[in-house]
Short mmCIF file of all heavy atoms in Angstrom, two decimals:
data_model
loop_
_atom_site.label_atom_id
_atom_site.label_comp_id
_atom_site.label_asym_id
_atom_site.label_seq_id
_atom_site.Cartn_x
_atom_site.Cartn_y
_atom_site.Cartn_z
N ASN A 4 11.52 5.49 -11.15
CA ASN A 4 10.29 5.59 -10.38
C ASN A 4 9.76 4.19 -10.07
O ASN A 4 9.25 3.51 -10.96
CB ASN A 4 9.24 6.37 -11.17
CG ASN A 4 7.97 6.59 -10.36
OD1 ASN A 4 7.99 6.53 -9.14
ND2 ASN A 4 6.88 6.83 -11.04
N PRO A 5 9.94 3.72 -8.84
CA PRO A 5 10.48 4.50 -7.72
C PRO A 5 12.00 4.54 -7.70
O PRO A 5 12.65 3.57 -8.09
CB PRO A 5 9.95 3.75 -6.49
CG PRO A 5 9.86 2.34 -6.96
CD PRO A 5 9.46 2.40 -8.41
N LEU A 6 12.54 5.66 -7.27
CA LEU A 6 13.98 5.81 -7.07
C LEU A 6 14.33 5.31 -5.68
O LEU A 6 13.71 5.71 -4.70
CB LEU A 6 14.39 7.27 -7.22
CG LEU A 6 15.89 7.57 -7.04
CD1 LEU A 6 16.66 7.11 -8.27
CD2 LEU A 6 16.12 9.06 -6.82
N LYS A 7 15.29 4.43 -5.60
CA LYS A 7 15.72 3.92 -4.29
C LYS A 7 16.62 4.96 -3.63
O LYS A 7 17.42 5.62 -4.27
CB LYS A 7 16.44 2.58 -4.44
CG LYS A 7 15.56 1.48 -5.03
CD LYS A 7 16.32 0.19 -5.20
CE LYS A 7 15.41 -0.91 -5.72
NZ LYS A 7 14.83 -0.58 -7.03
N ILE A 8 16.48 5.08 -2.31
CA ILE A 8 17.17 6.14 -1.58
C ILE A 8 18.68 6.09 -1.80
O ILE A 8 19.34 7.12 -1.88
CB ILE A 8 16.84 6.05 -0.07
CG1 ILE A 8 15.35 6.40 0.14
CG2 ILE A 8 17.71 6.98 0.75
CD1 ILE A 8 14.89 6.30 1.57
N ASN A 9 19.25 4.93 -1.94
CA ASN A 9 20.70 4.81 -2.08
C ASN A 9 21.20 4.94 -3.52
O ASN A 9 22.39 4.84 -3.78
CB ASN A 9 21.17 3.47 -1.50
CG ASN A 9 20.96 3.39 0.00
OD1 ASN A 9 21.12 4.40 0.70
ND2 ASN A 9 20.60 2.23 0.50
N ASP A 10 20.29 5.14 -4.47
CA ASP A 10 20.72 5.35 -5.85
C ASP A 10 21.53 6.64 -5.96
O ASP A 10 21.26 7.63 -5.26
CB ASP A 10 19.52 5.43 -6.80
CG ASP A 10 18.90 4.08 -7.03
OD1 ASP A 10 19.50 3.07 -6.62
OD2 ASP A 10 17.81 4.02 -7.63
N LEU A 11 22.52 6.65 -6.83
CA LEU A 11 23.34 7.84 -7.02
C LEU A 11 22.54 8.93 -7.69
O LEU A 11 21.71 8.68 -8.56
CB LEU A 11 24.57 7.51 -7.86
CG LEU A 11 25.56 6.51 -7.25
CD1 LEU A 11 26.66 6.18 -8.25
CD2 LEU A 11 26.16 7.07 -5.96
N ALA A 12 22.80 10.18 -7.33
CA ALA A 12 22.11 11.30 -7.95
C ALA A 12 22.38 11.35 -9.44
O ALA A 12 21.55 11.83 -10.22
CB ALA A 12 22.56 12.61 -7.29
N SER A 13 23.53 10.85 -9.86
CA SER A 13 23.87 10.87 -11.28
C SER A 13 22.95 9.97 -12.10
O SER A 13 22.87 10.09 -13.33
CB SER A 13 25.32 10.44 -11.48
OG SER A 13 25.53 9.14 -10.96
N ASP A 14 22.25 9.05 -11.42
CA ASP A 14 21.31 8.18 -12.13
C ASP A 14 20.01 8.88 -12.46
O ASP A 14 19.24 8.40 -13.28
CB ASP A 14 21.00 6.95 -11.28
CG ASP A 14 22.21 6.02 -11.17
OD1 ASP A 14 23.06 6.07 -12.08
OD2 ASP A 14 22.29 5.27 -10.19
N MET A 15 19.76 10.02 -11.82
CA MET A 15 18.54 10.76 -12.09
C MET A 15 18.63 11.44 -13.45
O MET A 15 19.71 11.89 -13.86
CB MET A 15 18.28 11.79 -11.00
CG MET A 15 17.88 11.21 -9.66
SD MET A 15 17.64 12.50 -8.42
CE MET A 15 16.43 13.53 -9.23
N ALA A 16 17.53 11.51 -14.12
CA ALA A 16 17.48 12.15 -15.43
C ALA A 16 16.06 12.58 -15.72
O ALA A 16 15.11 12.00 -15.17
CB ALA A 16 17.98 11.19 -16.51
N PRO A 17 15.86 13.59 -16.57
CA PRO A 17 14.50 13.94 -16.98
C PRO A 17 13.81 12.72 -17.59
O PRO A 17 14.37 12.06 -18.46
CB PRO A 17 14.70 15.04 -18.02
CG PRO A 17 16.04 15.63 -17.69
CD PRO A 17 16.86 14.48 -17.18
N ALA A 18 12.63 12.44 -17.11
CA ALA A 18 11.86 11.29 -17.60
C ALA A 18 10.39 11.70 -17.60
O ALA A 18 9.68 11.51 -16.62
CB ALA A 18 12.10 10.06 -16.72
N VAL A 19 9.96 12.27 -18.71
CA VAL A 19 8.65 12.92 -18.80
C VAL A 19 7.56 11.88 -19.02
O VAL A 19 7.69 11.00 -19.88
CB VAL A 19 8.65 13.94 -19.95
CG1 VAL A 19 7.29 14.60 -20.09
CG2 VAL A 19 9.74 15.00 -19.71
N ALA A 20 6.48 11.99 -18.26
CA ALA A 20 5.32 11.13 -18.48
C ALA A 20 4.42 11.70 -19.58
O ALA A 20 3.91 10.96 -20.41
CB ALA A 20 4.52 10.96 -17.19
N ALA A 21 4.23 13.02 -19.58
CA ALA A 21 3.37 13.64 -20.58
C ALA A 21 3.90 15.01 -20.96
O ALA A 21 4.25 15.82 -20.09
CB ALA A 21 1.94 13.75 -20.08
N LYS A 22 3.93 15.27 -22.25
CA LYS A 22 4.26 16.59 -22.79
C LYS A 22 3.01 17.17 -23.42
O LYS A 22 2.37 16.53 -24.27
CB LYS A 22 5.38 16.49 -23.83
CG LYS A 22 5.75 17.82 -24.48
CD LYS A 22 6.83 17.62 -25.53
CE LYS A 22 7.21 18.93 -26.20
NZ LYS A 22 8.25 18.74 -27.25
N VAL A 23 2.62 18.37 -22.99
CA VAL A 23 1.37 18.98 -23.43
C VAL A 23 1.68 20.30 -24.12
O VAL A 23 2.12 21.26 -23.48
CB VAL A 23 0.42 19.20 -22.24
CG1 VAL A 23 -0.95 19.65 -22.74
CG2 VAL A 23 0.29 17.94 -21.40
N CYS A 24 1.46 20.33 -25.43
CA CYS A 24 1.80 21.52 -26.22
C CYS A 24 0.61 22.11 -26.96
O CYS A 24 0.67 23.27 -27.37
CB CYS A 24 2.87 21.17 -27.27
SG CYS A 24 4.47 20.78 -26.59
N GLY A 25 -0.43 21.34 -27.20
CA GLY A 25 -1.57 21.85 -27.94
C GLY A 25 -2.39 22.83 -27.13
O GLY A 25 -2.25 22.95 -25.91
N ASP A 26 -3.27 23.55 -27.81
CA ASP A 26 -4.15 24.52 -27.16
C ASP A 26 -5.52 23.89 -26.93
O ASP A 26 -5.95 23.01 -27.68
CB ASP A 26 -4.29 25.75 -28.06
CG ASP A 26 -4.98 26.91 -27.36
OD1 ASP A 26 -4.81 27.05 -26.13
OD2 ASP A 26 -5.70 27.68 -28.04
N LYS A 27 -6.18 24.33 -25.88
CA LYS A 27 -7.54 23.87 -25.54
C LYS A 27 -7.58 22.36 -25.30
O LYS A 27 -8.17 21.59 -26.07
CB LYS A 27 -8.53 24.30 -26.61
CG LYS A 27 -8.68 25.81 -26.71
CD LYS A 27 -9.74 26.25 -27.69
CE LYS A 27 -9.26 26.13 -29.11
NZ LYS A 27 -10.22 26.75 -30.08
N ILE A 28 -6.92 21.96 -24.22
CA ILE A 28 -6.85 20.55 -23.83
C ILE A 28 -7.41 20.39 -22.42
O ILE A 28 -7.06 21.15 -21.51
CB ILE A 28 -5.42 20.01 -23.91
CG1 ILE A 28 -4.88 20.15 -25.35
CG2 ILE A 28 -5.36 18.56 -23.46
CD1 ILE A 28 -3.48 19.62 -25.54
N TYR A 29 -8.26 19.40 -22.25
CA TYR A 29 -8.97 19.18 -20.99
C TYR A 29 -8.65 17.77 -20.50
O TYR A 29 -8.91 16.78 -21.19
CB TYR A 29 -10.48 19.32 -21.26
CG TYR A 29 -11.40 19.36 -20.06
CD1 TYR A 29 -12.64 19.97 -20.16
CD2 TYR A 29 -11.07 18.77 -18.83
CE1 TYR A 29 -13.53 20.00 -19.08
CE2 TYR A 29 -11.93 18.80 -17.76
CZ TYR A 29 -13.17 19.42 -17.89
OH TYR A 29 -14.03 19.46 -16.81
N PHE A 30 -8.09 17.70 -19.28
CA PHE A 30 -7.81 16.42 -18.63
C PHE A 30 -8.77 16.25 -17.46
O PHE A 30 -8.80 17.09 -16.55
CB PHE A 30 -6.37 16.38 -18.11
CG PHE A 30 -5.32 16.48 -19.19
CD1 PHE A 30 -4.73 17.69 -19.49
CD2 PHE A 30 -4.91 15.35 -19.89
CE1 PHE A 30 -3.76 17.79 -20.47
CE2 PHE A 30 -3.94 15.43 -20.88
CZ PHE A 30 -3.37 16.66 -21.17
N TYR A 31 -9.51 15.16 -17.46
CA TYR A 31 -10.51 14.91 -16.42
C TYR A 31 -10.24 13.54 -15.79
O TYR A 31 -10.29 12.51 -16.47
CB TYR A 31 -11.91 14.95 -17.03
CG TYR A 31 -13.04 14.78 -16.04
CD1 TYR A 31 -13.48 15.84 -15.26
CD2 TYR A 31 -13.67 13.55 -15.91
CE1 TYR A 31 -14.52 15.68 -14.35
CE2 TYR A 31 -14.71 13.37 -15.00
CZ TYR A 31 -15.14 14.44 -14.22
OH TYR A 31 -16.15 14.28 -13.33
N ARG A 32 -9.92 13.55 -14.51
CA ARG A 32 -9.59 12.33 -13.77
C ARG A 32 -8.47 11.54 -14.47
O ARG A 32 -8.62 10.36 -14.80
CB ARG A 32 -10.83 11.46 -13.56
CG ARG A 32 -11.91 12.13 -12.70
CD ARG A 32 -12.99 11.17 -12.27
NE ARG A 32 -14.04 11.84 -11.50
CZ ARG A 32 -13.99 12.12 -10.19
NH1 ARG A 32 -12.91 11.76 -9.51
NH2 ARG A 32 -14.99 12.73 -9.59
N VAL A 33 -7.39 12.25 -14.69
CA VAL A 33 -6.22 11.68 -15.36
C VAL A 33 -5.05 11.66 -14.38
O VAL A 33 -4.90 12.56 -13.55
CB VAL A 33 -5.86 12.51 -16.62
CG1 VAL A 33 -4.57 12.01 -17.26
CG2 VAL A 33 -7.01 12.44 -17.62
N GLY A 34 -4.20 10.63 -14.47
CA GLY A 34 -3.03 10.52 -13.61
C GLY A 34 -1.75 10.70 -14.42
O GLY A 34 -1.64 10.25 -15.56
N PHE A 35 -0.78 11.37 -13.78
CA PHE A 35 0.54 11.57 -14.37
C PHE A 35 1.57 11.14 -13.32
O PHE A 35 1.64 11.73 -12.24
CB PHE A 35 0.77 13.03 -14.75
CG PHE A 35 -0.27 13.60 -15.67
CD1 PHE A 35 -1.42 14.21 -15.15
CD2 PHE A 35 -0.12 13.53 -17.05
CE1 PHE A 35 -2.39 14.74 -15.99
CE2 PHE A 35 -1.09 14.07 -17.90
CZ PHE A 35 -2.22 14.66 -17.36
N PHE A 36 2.38 10.13 -13.63
CA PHE A 36 3.26 9.55 -12.63
C PHE A 36 4.69 9.48 -13.15
O PHE A 36 4.95 8.95 -14.23
CB PHE A 36 2.77 8.15 -12.25
CG PHE A 36 1.39 8.13 -11.66
CD1 PHE A 36 0.27 7.97 -12.47
CD2 PHE A 36 1.19 8.31 -10.30
CE1 PHE A 36 -1.00 7.97 -11.94
CE2 PHE A 36 -0.08 8.32 -9.75
CZ PHE A 36 -1.18 8.15 -10.58
N GLY A 37 5.60 10.03 -12.37
CA GLY A 37 7.02 10.01 -12.71
C GLY A 37 7.83 10.40 -11.51
O GLY A 37 7.34 10.43 -10.37
N PHE A 38 9.09 10.75 -11.75
CA PHE A 38 9.96 11.17 -10.66
C PHE A 38 10.52 12.56 -10.93
O PHE A 38 10.31 13.49 -10.17
CB PHE A 38 11.09 10.16 -10.45
CG PHE A 38 11.84 10.38 -9.17
CD1 PHE A 38 11.33 9.87 -7.98
CD2 PHE A 38 13.02 11.10 -9.13
CE1 PHE A 38 11.99 10.09 -6.77
CE2 PHE A 38 13.69 11.31 -7.93
CZ PHE A 38 13.17 10.81 -6.74
N GLN A 39 11.23 12.73 -12.04
CA GLN A 39 11.74 14.04 -12.42
C GLN A 39 11.07 14.48 -13.71
O GLN A 39 11.01 13.73 -14.69
CB GLN A 39 13.25 14.00 -12.62
CG GLN A 39 13.86 15.36 -13.00
CD GLN A 39 15.37 15.33 -13.09
OE1 GLN A 39 16.01 14.38 -12.65
NE2 GLN A 39 15.95 16.37 -13.65
N ASP A 40 10.52 15.71 -13.71
CA ASP A 40 9.89 16.29 -14.91
C ASP A 40 8.68 15.47 -15.37
O ASP A 40 8.52 15.21 -16.57
CB ASP A 40 10.89 16.42 -16.05
CG ASP A 40 12.04 17.37 -15.74
OD1 ASP A 40 11.97 18.04 -14.69
OD2 ASP A 40 12.98 17.43 -16.52
N THR A 41 7.82 15.11 -14.45
CA THR A 41 6.68 14.24 -14.78
C THR A 41 5.77 14.85 -15.84
O THR A 41 5.49 14.23 -16.87
CB THR A 41 5.85 13.96 -13.52
OG1 THR A 41 6.68 13.37 -12.53
CG2 THR A 41 4.69 13.02 -13.83
N LEU A 42 5.27 16.05 -15.59
CA LEU A 42 4.30 16.69 -16.48
C LEU A 42 4.93 17.95 -17.08
O LEU A 42 5.19 18.92 -16.39
CB LEU A 42 3.03 17.06 -15.70
CG LEU A 42 1.96 17.84 -16.45
CD1 LEU A 42 1.50 17.10 -17.71
CD2 LEU A 42 0.77 18.15 -15.54
N TRP A 43 5.14 17.89 -18.38
CA TRP A 43 5.72 19.01 -19.12
C TRP A 43 4.57 19.78 -19.78
O TRP A 43 4.15 19.46 -20.88
CB TRP A 43 6.71 18.49 -20.14
CG TRP A 43 7.46 19.56 -20.90
CD1 TRP A 43 7.38 20.91 -20.75
CD2 TRP A 43 8.42 19.33 -21.94
NE1 TRP A 43 8.22 21.56 -21.62
CE2 TRP A 43 8.88 20.60 -22.36
CE3 TRP A 43 8.93 18.18 -22.54
CZ2 TRP A 43 9.82 20.75 -23.37
CZ3 TRP A 43 9.87 18.32 -23.54
CH2 TRP A 43 10.32 19.59 -23.95
N ASP A 44 4.07 20.78 -19.10
CA ASP A 44 3.01 21.63 -19.64
C ASP A 44 3.69 22.80 -20.36
O ASP A 44 3.95 23.84 -19.77
CB ASP A 44 2.11 22.11 -18.50
CG ASP A 44 0.83 22.73 -19.00
OD1 ASP A 44 0.90 23.83 -19.61
OD2 ASP A 44 -0.23 22.15 -18.81
N GLU A 45 3.95 22.59 -21.63
CA GLU A 45 4.87 23.46 -22.35
C GLU A 45 4.21 24.70 -22.94
O GLU A 45 4.74 25.80 -22.83
CB GLU A 45 5.57 22.67 -23.46
CG GLU A 45 6.43 23.50 -24.40
CD GLU A 45 7.49 24.37 -23.71
OE1 GLU A 45 7.80 24.13 -22.52
OE2 GLU A 45 7.98 25.31 -24.35
N SER A 46 3.06 24.55 -23.58
CA SER A 46 2.42 25.72 -24.21
C SER A 46 0.94 25.42 -24.43
O SER A 46 0.52 24.26 -24.49
CB SER A 46 3.10 26.05 -25.54
OG SER A 46 3.02 24.96 -26.44
N GLY A 47 0.16 26.48 -24.56
CA GLY A 47 -1.27 26.33 -24.77
C GLY A 47 -2.05 26.43 -23.48
O GLY A 47 -1.49 26.49 -22.38
#
């Protein structure tokens, strides 16, 4: 991030910015930046 257009697809990989698993979580004016799998909102 940023991925260049001529990069090989094989170079792509999951690269998580945030994993969210807890319950009752509040994000206010928060940024999440990535390319593949940026925000993992897993449970809760």
Side-chain angles (χ1 to χ4, degrees):
N4 184 21
L6 180 75
K7 298 178 177 61
I8 292 178
N9 294 324
D10 286 350
L11 296 175
S13 59
D14 290 335
M15 290 178 55
V19 179
K22 178 182 179 181
V23 188
C24 292
D26 190 33
K27 295 185 283 189
I28 300 181
Y29 190 156
F30 297 96
Y31 183 81
R32 297 192 183 278
V33 175
F35 305 90
F36 299 92
F38 193 82
Q39 181 176 347
D40 297 352
T41 303
L42 175 57
W43 184 2
D44 192 291
E45 173 53 17
S46 59

